[in-house]
């Protein structure tokens, strides 16, 4: 069974990132052998649609389960349609989250389909008669505000350079795997 875990780092001792669509990395683990690979979340900084893009990328890796802190409704829909089970509430190190999953301590999330109606800001019930943030249409954010985790450092040129080098390394590794697979298919 292959499990994808939203991660703040690249090792099994890294912490589970609570944000599925905005985490820096995904660690994909074969829970039987504990072999794993690290996937860079290229949609982490996307202005919108990060959860959908992340869900598509992770589901495309042939995983069975996602372990994360929380996952938004759009990513939930993509993962569910791909037949991926979603387990939220995971925390601590990746290794501990996998152990808890293997013991059966973490259960699949039962989420109702998202209707997009009546959530978040702008429920139209204030005295402003809809002229506020949601303008009375019952639209708005579906997620409560979460402060960014403390491991994210302020962006500097050096930090950005390191991050880009790391990203390039991961892309090059992925490219090599693709080339290898293409060669296998030619045979």
């Amino acid at each position: 069974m292959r499990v994808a875990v939203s991660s703040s780092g690249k090792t099994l001792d890294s912490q589970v990132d609570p944000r599925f669509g905005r985490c820096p990395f995904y660690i994909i683990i074969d829970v039987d052998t504990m072999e794993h690979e690290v996937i860079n979340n290229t949609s982490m900084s996307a202005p919108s649609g990060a959860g959908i893009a992340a869900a598509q990328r992770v589901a495309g890796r042939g995983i069975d389960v996602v372990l994360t802190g929380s996952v938004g409704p759009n990513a939930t829909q993509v993962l569910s349609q791909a037949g991926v089970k979603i387990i939220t509430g995971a925390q601590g190190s990746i290794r501990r989250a996998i152990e808890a999953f293997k013991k059966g301590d973490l259960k699949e999330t039962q989420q109702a389909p998202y209707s997009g109606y009546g959530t978040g800001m702008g429920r139209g019930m204030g005295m402003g008669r809809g002229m506020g943030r949601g303008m009375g249409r019952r639209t708005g954010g579906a997620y409560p505000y979460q402060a960014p985790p403390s491991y994210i450092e302020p962006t500097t040129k050096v930090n950005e350079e390191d991050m880009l080098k790391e990203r390039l390394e991961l892309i090059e590794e992925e490219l090599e795997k693709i080339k290898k697979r293409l060669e296998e298919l030619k045979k």
Side-chain angles (χ1 to χ4, degrees), residues 35-57:
E35 287 183 27
H36 61 281
E37 64 177 312
V38 178
I39 305 294
N40 191 30
N41 182 3
T42 56
S43 59
M44 175 180 145
S45 300
S48 64
I52 294 170
Q56 290 170 337
R57 182 172 180 164

Side-chain angles (χ1 to χ4, degrees), residues 119-155:
T119 58
M121 296 298 295
R123 289 182 282 278
M125 300 174 90
M127 295 303 288
R129 304 291 182 242
M131 297 311 292
R133 296 170 93 179
M135 300 188 77
R137 293 182 304 236
R138 294 184 183 210
T139 60
Y143 313 101
Y145 172 76
Q146 288 183 349
S150 59
Y151 67 83
I152 296 177
E153 299 175 24
T155 303

